[in-house]
Amino acid sequence: PIPAAAAPRAPTGWAAIVTGQVKPGAGPPAAATAAAQSPEALLAMLGSLTAGAEGVGVLGTSPNSVSGYVLRPQESLAWSQRLAPLVTTLQGVLSTVGAQRFCSMVDRVANPNDWSLASEVSSGLARGARLEVVQDSEISAAIEASAIASANTGAQVRLTAVSVDQSVVGAPGHNNTGSPVMVCRAERMVDSATGLTRVAAFALHLEGVSQLAPAEKPYLSLVFAWLGMRAGPASSAAMVASGDGFPAPAGGGGG
């Protein structure tokens, strides 16, 4: 069996909010203004809004995961509330600096991968599309399907957000961001609730869990929000005329 989660400590800070003993407030509007000043300011904001992020997780299944298995916070609603100010701040930074600059800043401080978010969205933005940050309805980290995962469904594990450190991760050609928040790929589909095409996801980078491998190696990423693209009027007309465009709606949900 996988190691059991450690006994909860006296709740303070993040843990106090996660256990419902402190009610979270809305993120201060000034946070987005400050974070928009530079990539370094954005990195500092990502660190401060996720400081001490840890708690008990549960191994379960999800139809939204390609592998079928995920880790979820035991107190998913409380985690959503605790992460809401971070999502609000990301939305504010996007609004303040614009889509292309926002993606470049994210690439600089929150993209450890060997691909560029700015490059992923550049063609759509050139056609007049716009981007939006949306909080996900399901907070989860996809893990690889295995006999251990199957045999331990319902087991509790410790979830701990840690900064990306390539001396620990050891991914050749990847960036050493030093951020606990990371951007990762998302399956391109149209979300039925918003009409936005998912182009990327935002996640907390988690410390590895013994005997459970992440579905998207090498990072165990707890997705809490996603970046969506909406085609502009001009590009929509052009895509209809050319037969090019975004995929047909495939429903909402996490992932």
Side-chain angles (χ1 to χ4, degrees), residues 78-168:
W79 276 69
S80 293
Q81 293 172 332
R82 182 61 181 84
L83 287 163
L86 174 57
V87 176
T88 299
T89 303
L90 288 171
Q91 291 168 338
V93 174
L94 172 58
S95 176
T96 300
V97 304
Q100 197 66 53
R101 171 66 173 161
F102 175 78
C103 292
S104 295
M105 291 173 69
V106 168
D107 276 336
R108 173 90 173 268
V109 302
N111 187 359
N113 304 286
D114 57 356
W115 51 268
S116 164
L117 177 61
S119 296
E120 292 273 314
V121 302
S122 61
S123 61
L125 296 180
R127 295 196 300 265
R130 61 185 178 85
L131 300 179
E132 296 179 27
V133 176
V134 181
Q135 186 158 5
D136 213 313
S137 58
E138 177 186 6
I139 298 178
S140 64
I143 60 171
E144 193 175 72
S146 66
I148 291 177
S150 176
N152 287 275
T153 301
Q156 293 184 341
V157 298
R158 195 76 192 166
L159 301 183
T160 304
V162 293
S163 298
V164 173
D165 181 351
Q166 293 300 347
S167 69
V168 177

Side-chain angles (χ1 to χ4, degrees), residues 166-214:
Q166 293 300 347
S167 69
V168 177
V169 178
H174 285 215
N175 301 311
N176 192 41
T177 63
S179 170
V181 177
M182 60 177 288
V183 66
C184 41
R185 289 194 188 277
E187 183 180 353
R188 289 223 174 193
M189 63 171 62
V190 176
D191 178 71
S192 59
T194 62
L196 296 166
T197 298
R198 293 174 180 247
V199 294
F202 290 101
L204 293 180
H205 174 241
L206 298 179
E207 190 174 71
V209 176
S210 178
Q211 302 183 62
L212 296 178

Side-chain angles (χ1 to χ4, degrees), residues 12-55:
T12 57
W14 179 283
I17 293 174
V18 169
T19 54
Q21 295 189 23
V22 176
K23 292 185 178 181
T33 303
Q37 299 304 308
S38 67
E40 292 74 20
L42 175 60
L43 176 61
M45 181 275 292
L46 296 177
S48 65
L49 289 181
T50 57
E54 63 174 13

